[in-house]
Amino acid sequence: MSTPLTADQVNRIVWNHHHDPFEILGPHPSQDGKSGWVVRVYWPKADAISVVCPGHRQEYPMQSVHDPHFFECEVPIPGALNYQLRVKTGSHEQVLYDPYAFKSPRVTEYDQHLFAEGNHHRIYEKLGAHLTTVDDVEGVYFALWAPSARNVSLLGDFNAWDGRQHQMRKGPSGIWELFIPELSIGEHYKYEVKNHEGHIYEKSDPYGFQQEVRPKTASIVTDLNSYSWSDGSWMEQRRNADALAQPISIYEVHLGSWMHASSDEPSQSEEGHPLPPVIVSELKPGARFLTYRELADRLIPYVKDLGFTHIELLPVAEHPFDGSWGYQVTGYYACTSRYGTPEDFMHFVDQCHQQGIGVIVDWVPGHFPKDGHGLAFFDGTHLYEHADPRRGEHKEWGTLVFNYSRKEVKNFLIANALFWFDKYHIDGIRVDAVASMLYLNYCRKDGEWVANEYGGAENIEAADFLRHLNDVLFSYYPGILSIAEESTSWPMVSWPTYVGGLGFNLKWNMGWMHDMLDYFNMDPWFRQFHQNNVTFSIMYAFSENFMLALSHDEIVHGKSNMLGKMPGDEWQKFANLRCLYTFMFTHPGKKTLFMSMEFGQWSEWNVWGDLDWQLLEYDSHQNLKKFVTDLNHLYKELPALFTNDFSYDGFEWVDCNDTRHSVISFVRRAKDSDEFVLTVCNLTPQPHSHYRVGVPESGYYVERFNSDGRQYGGSNMGNLGGKWTDEWAFHNRPYSLDLCLPPLATLVFTLDRQKTAQAHQQLPESQNQ
């Protein structure tokens, strides 16, 4: 029953000091408990308010109590009370529902229990801003985890960004919530968070699904369930497939610098309405970003034509600074608004799937920036990060480290990974900077880090988090990819968790990448002394499920682009690059190339500019693009190159010891079949005629691919389409081929069993015996 309010109670609302404004505001039974209700409203700047009861056709003026903007009145209506407020501010008048009349919480005790133990895998459906209907009234329900805050209020256009008007209620688990009736999609909002000293932090929604285009930072109410997907067959096929037995050739892309459009060219939203161009001062004058839908129209056909199986996107979660490439995330649940709306990004993924292309997203659970509207010092305490900077800060990057020992923080991240698969249908994540997560002394000097409980440098909580993450991901979404960018010798990164691994199903092979780039950077004469650079990777190639990646990191910060790394004149640079790519695609492991590598850009990647598309006007660059296209198609056509990537059964050296000629040869074998591929690499500009290579079976070997082909700008040396074996034992094999090895070239052969069988049938019976 309602009792008269004291000045102190009113002041706690007026000064925004109350953790549960529902105790004061909204409808309360009258003092006798029978005659009706007492309704209280605090509305800053309001001149007059009355309670409107439409069902009873009555209106009750409210009186100021203890403060000119705190209003109260008695409503003598027994039973349920359904009312609205008529609010007059100057000459403006509006009739609306009272948020404090809707008291049913959306976050249940069970939700709170799961969240507190770190196992609420769909917490993004509870926290954040959600369109919902309460007591037949449509509106938006807001919920925020900020356990150490003294007060939390909503800010938005709907209250003139005044935090006094929509004060939230705190639940026992530190979750603040409020339903605001009659709000809808498109509302901009933030949270005003106060600590116990009264300091105010204006925060974007950690679980917000959309944010304003930077430099603005407000979250935007949106509905992620309205898009109609058309990729059902793709999703079903993925669910039932063994991802690691499939060809995986990834085109890595930064959407903001692959290509730009003119700001004079209108961009379109999902409804077809023009969008304002996102201009960046560092771009060339008059340029703007392509939207997700424009990228779907331009990027997807380009990648499909090149023959790649997947597109990997540098982070598309919201981030404030373009120059971070997306790796300093402030909105983990919001796809960046630089390129359009969430529905636009869904359209992009949907179109990829309809064209047979998978989508992998870079995901950044290792650190986050210090921007004031983000996760840093969120509720006036180190909520998401460690308080001790020796554990909670990457000084080299100027970022903060997630506290993986806090269950709600782990829940935030694991649910976030699931979110991208759930709402956006992505096919994989590439987890950034895993090494920085696994080691407490990563990029830290002695005395600047804290050892674990056993005195070591391993981050036990982070390793446990990654195991939990991968267990959950694969339980929900079989057939996906979880790829670790991990550069150290941490064991069993891509092994299952039940044998002690971290649970990823792929790991970037940084050792192979460094060895190969060092090798191909050498003058070919010196390569005879460094053949181990080429061969050493096989010593450990099957200790993990490896991804061979030539990524964006290798063509920035003065490292030169791929062509610039190659020695020799222009012809030799292109030949070296073709030789490297062919070796890469025939070496065990899945494949990743960064945009621009497919046509041989000379300059380093520049996040502010387009790729140098004008180079495709020149034959040498157009030929390299055709070469990469043909190489991708060859890779997908030969099961020996992808079905047995992670076992010694799929690889054997023919000869890795010919250092004098810098020639290597090896065989790749398919899983569950007798198909195999022979690869021979001549890693110097010196061609070789009558070079003998041992082979396991007799017959006709088709030259399936020659990186020195005329169509690719090579010298067109080769083996006239193929060679018959000689009964000349060589390299410990019963048969051998007499080959011509072009300069700086890789050759790929397959045994033509049909032609071989036909030839045997035509031989005299005495020769078949």
Side-chain angles (χ1 to χ4, degrees):
M1 292 184 293
S2 176
T3 57
L5 295 179
T6 66
D8 179 65
Q9 288 176 304
V10 172
N11 287 336
R12 290 180 66 192
I13 295 295
V14 171
W15 297 339
N16 199 351
H17 284 181
H18 208 299
H19 73 283
D20 185 3
F22 284 86
E23 290 183 358
I24 306 296
L25 302 177
H28 298 267
S30 60
Q31 191 167 5
D32 61 13
K34 298 179 181 179
S35 59
W37 302 84
V38 175
V39 178
R40 304 189 187 103
V41 175
Y42 176 57
W43 198 288
K45 302 178 183 178
D47 296 322
I49 301 179
S50 58
V51 174
V52 179
C53 299
H56 295 79
R57 298 183 181 181
Q58 295 289 329
E59 185 166 339
Y60 304 91
M62 305 187 79
Q63 306 299 319
S64 297
V65 179
H66 299 301
D67 183 274
H69 303 297
F70 190 99
F71 300 88
E72 180 182 274
C73 74
E74 291 193 14
V75 180
I77 298 176
L81 179 63
N82 179 22
Y83 70 94
Q84 293 175 292
L85 301 174
R86 186 186 304 276
V87 181
K88 296 181 180 179
T89 305
S91 59
H92 179 69
E93 181 177 298
Q94 55 184 327
V95 177
L96 39 72
Y97 286 97
D98 182 1
Y100 298 100
F102 301 86
K103 298 187 178 183
S104 300
R106 178 184 173 98
V107 180
T108 66
E109 290 184 5
Y110 186 57
D111 291 324
Q112 296 175 49
H113 169 75
L114 289 177
F115 183 56
E117 69 175 18
N119 288 322
H120 200 312
H121 300 151
R122 294 286 190 266
I123 190 62
Y124 52 84
E125 294 181 347
K126 298 293 183 174
L127 299 184
H130 299 273
L131 297 171
T132 189
T133 300
V134 178
D135 297 337
D136 298 324
V137 177
E138 295 180 349
V140 177
Y141 176 87
F142 298 89
L144 176 75
W145 179 60
S148 296
R150 186 188 70 187
N151 301 94
V152 176
S153 298
L154 279 157
L155 304 172
D157 296 329
F158 47 85
N159 60 19
W161 300 89
D162 189 334
R164 298 172 295 172
Q165 187 166 327
H166 290 103
Q167 302 173 36
M168 303 180 76
R169 171 175 54 189
K170 183 179 182 180
S173 61
I175 294 175
W176 301 77
E177 54 187 346
L178 184 66
F179 172 73
I180 302 184
E182 301 176 302
L183 292 189
S184 59
I185 291 174
E187 293 284 355
H188 293 61
Y189 71 98
K190 282 187 180 182
Y191 295 104
E192 180 184 274
V193 181
K194 285 185 180 179
N195 68 5
H196 284 275
E197 287 74 40
H199 298 153
I200 296 176
Y201 309 90
E202 290 190 5
K203 296 289 187 177
S204 303
D205 190 346
Y207 290 87
F209 297 151
Q210 187 178 1
Q211 286 189 12
E212 291 180 291
V213 178
R214 50 89 194 102
K216 296 181 178 180
T217 58
S219 299
I220 302 174
V221 175
T222 191
D223 181 10
L224 298 186
N225 298 315
S226 60
Y227 183 82
S228 297
W229 289 88
S230 302
D231 62 348
S233 59
W234 169 276
M235 299 293 283
E236 181 65 17
Q237 181 182 9
R238 186 189 77 184
R239 188 175 68 85
N240 294 299
D242 178 1
L244 298 187
Q246 309 302 314
I248 297 177
S249 173
I250 298 171
Y251 187 71
E252 188 187 26
V253 183
H254 178 256
L255 293 180
S257 56
W258 181 75
M259 181 183 291
H260 297 117
S262 168
S263 58
D264 296 330
E265 179 183 353
S267 57
Q268 302 296 316
S269 71
E270 70 273 15
E271 293 88 9
H273 301 304
L275 293 171
V278 178
I279 304 297
V280 185
S281 59
E282 289 82 355
L283 299 183
K284 61 186 178 182
R288 67 162 175 85
F289 290 135
L290 294 176
T291 67
Y292 293 117
R293 289 178 179 265
E294 291 168 330
L295 286 160
D297 293 339
R298 303 185 195 187
L299 174 60
I300 295 173
Y302 180 79
V303 173
K304 183 177 181 180
D305 181 64
L306 284 169
F308 288 95
T309 63
H310 291 72
I311 295 174
E312 179 182 322
L313 306 176
L314 270 63
V316 292
E318 195 58 83
H319 51 282
F321 177 47
D322 297 338
S324 76
W325 310 341
Y327 289 100
Q328 295 197 6
V329 178
T330 51
Y332 275 81
Y333 286 83
C335 65
T336 178
S337 54
R338 289 167 174 79
Y339 318 124
T341 67
E343 289 78 10
D344 293 334
F345 184 54
M346 291 174 184
H347 172 81
F348 175 86
V349 176
D350 201 0
Q351 290 300 307
C352 282
H353 289 172
Q354 292 182 50
Q355 296 301 315
I357 296 172
V359 179
I360 299 167
V361 170
D362 275 17
W363 188 58
V364 192
H367 61 115
F368 58 92
K370 299 177 181 178
D371 296 66
H373 67 282
L375 299 177
F377 210 64
F378 190 84
D379 63 353
T381 67
H382 298 281
L383 184 62
Y384 286 90
E385 70 273 22
H386 290 278
D388 188 338
R390 294 175 297 173
R391 295 203 65 182
E393 184 175 1
H394 280 305
K395 291 186 178 180
E396 183 179 15
W397 299 339
T399 56
L400 301 175
V401 180
F402 282 103
N403 182 354
Y404 305 107
S405 63
R406 188 157 195 168
K407 294 179 180 179
E408 296 93 341
V409 173
K410 288 197 299 184
N411 201 141
F412 171 83
L413 290 169
I414 290 172
N416 181 245
L418 289 167
F419 165 83
W420 290 95
F421 289 97
D422 177 21
K423 298 300 184 183
Y424 290 104
H425 290 202
I426 67 168
D427 303 286
I429 54 172
R430 177 263 195 187
V431 182
D432 176 63
V434 171
S436 74
M437 301 169 64
L438 291 175
Y439 293 96
L440 298 167
N441 61 348
Y442 186 87
C443 288
R444 293 182 174 93
K445 299 176 182 178
D446 290 344
E448 295 182 352
W449 60 280
V450 180
N452 63 32
E453 59 189 289
Y454 303 106
E458 298 82 9
N459 191 333
I460 297 171
E461 292 89 353
D464 288 343
F465 159 73
L466 291 171
R467 292 187 187 99
H468 189 191
L469 165 73
N470 285 313
D471 278 343
V472 171
L473 281 180
F474 289 115
S475 68
Y476 278 96
Y477 301 105
I480 65 164
L481 298 174
S482 180
I483 308 166
E485 186 212 11
E486 206 285 317
S487 56
T488 73
S489 58
W490 187 285
M492 302 190 295
V493 171
S494 59
W495 289 35
T497 59
Y498 57 79
V499 296
L502 293 183
F504 293 94
N505 57 1
L506 285 169
K507 170 184 172 175
W508 272 19
N509 193 335
M510 310 295 276
W512 176 89
M513 179 270 296
H514 286 299
D515 284 346
M516 295 310 301
L517 294 184
D518 287 347
Y519 183 86
F520 274 88
N521 186 248
M522 297 177 192
D523 184 290
W525 188 85
F526 292 101
R527 292 177 181 176
Q528 61 187 308
F529 308 112
H530 298 276
Q531 190 137 323
N532 60 300
N533 280 45
V534 182
T535 61
F536 179 66
S537 61
I538 299 301
M539 297 292 291
Y540 60 86
F542 310 110
S543 62
E544 300 275 6
N545 300 336
F546 278 121
M547 167 77 70
L548 308 184
L550 297 174
S551 74
H552 63 278
D553 283 324
E554 310 317 315
I555 57 171
V556 290
H557 304 320
K559 297 178 185 177
S560 180
N561 211 309
M562 294 302 296
L563 267 180
K565 297 177 190 292
M566 303 294 117
D569 58 22
E570 182 173 326
W571 187 93
Q572 291 190 35
K573 287 180 182 294
F574 277 96
N576 268 297
L577 195 56
R578 295 193 302 269
C579 183
L580 168 59
Y581 286 172
T582 313
F583 174 64
M584 174 184 181
F585 273 72
T586 55
H587 187 286
K590 307 308 182 183
K591 329 296 178 186
T592 296
L593 287 179
F594 185 59
M595 64 183 195
S596 81
M597 293 182 183
E598 75 277 11
F599 62 81
Q601 183 165 302
W602 292 99
S603 61
E604 290 187 342
W605 170 47
N606 174 14
V607 72
W608 308 116
D610 290 10
L611 301 186
D612 292 339
W613 295 109
Q614 70 278 4
L615 292 176
L616 289 173
E617 298 174 7
Y618 300 93
D619 288 343
S620 56
H621 296 275
Q622 190 66 246
N623 291 339
L624 182 61
K625 179 173 174 283
K626 175 175 172 50
F627 162 84
V628 171
T629 301
D630 291 350
L631 185 59
N632 266 317
H633 288 293
L634 175 81
Y635 169 64
K636 293 186 291 186
E637 289 169 6
L638 300 178
L641 296 181
F642 60 81
T643 59
N644 212 357
D645 271 320
F646 311 117
S647 168
Y648 280 105
D649 295 337
F651 178 91
E652 61 186 68
W653 285 115
V654 174
D655 182 23
C656 60
N657 296 313
D658 188 0
T659 58
R660 185 167 67 92
H661 296 103
S662 297
V663 173
I664 61 169
S665 50
F666 55 90
V667 167
R668 295 291 310 281
R669 294 189 179 276
K671 190 173 184 179
D672 302 325
S673 80
D674 58 359
E675 292 188 41
F676 65 91
V677 168
L678 171 68
T679 299
V680 184
C681 304
N682 177 19
L683 301 167
T684 73
Q686 176 63 49
H688 302 290
S689 59
H690 303 294
Y691 189 94
R692 190 160 294 278
V693 176
V695 292
E697 297 184 36
S698 65
Y700 184 75
Y701 282 74
V702 181
E703 187 178 82
R704 293 293 301 271
F705 197 78
N706 182 347
S707 68
D708 189 54
R710 177 183 291 115
Q711 67 272 35
Y712 309 134
S715 63
N716 207 41
M717 294 182 65
N719 296 277
L720 302 176
K723 281 292 188 76
W724 287 96
T725 55
D726 299 320
E727 291 192 11
W728 182 339
F730 209 74
H731 291 141
N732 293 318
R733 285 161 177 80
Y735 310 98
S736 59
L737 296 171
D738 180 4
L739 298 178
C740 171
L741 303 187
L744 293 171
T746 299
L747 305 177
V748 179
F749 297 89
T750 58
L751 176 62
D752 189 333
R753 297 185 184 278
Q754 182 178 2
K755 188 172 184 178
T756 299
Q758 290 173 349
H760 285 170
Q761 291 172 2
Q762 296 170 3
L763 290 175
E765 184 177 348
S766 60
Q767 296 186 31
N768 276 324
Q769 293 177 349

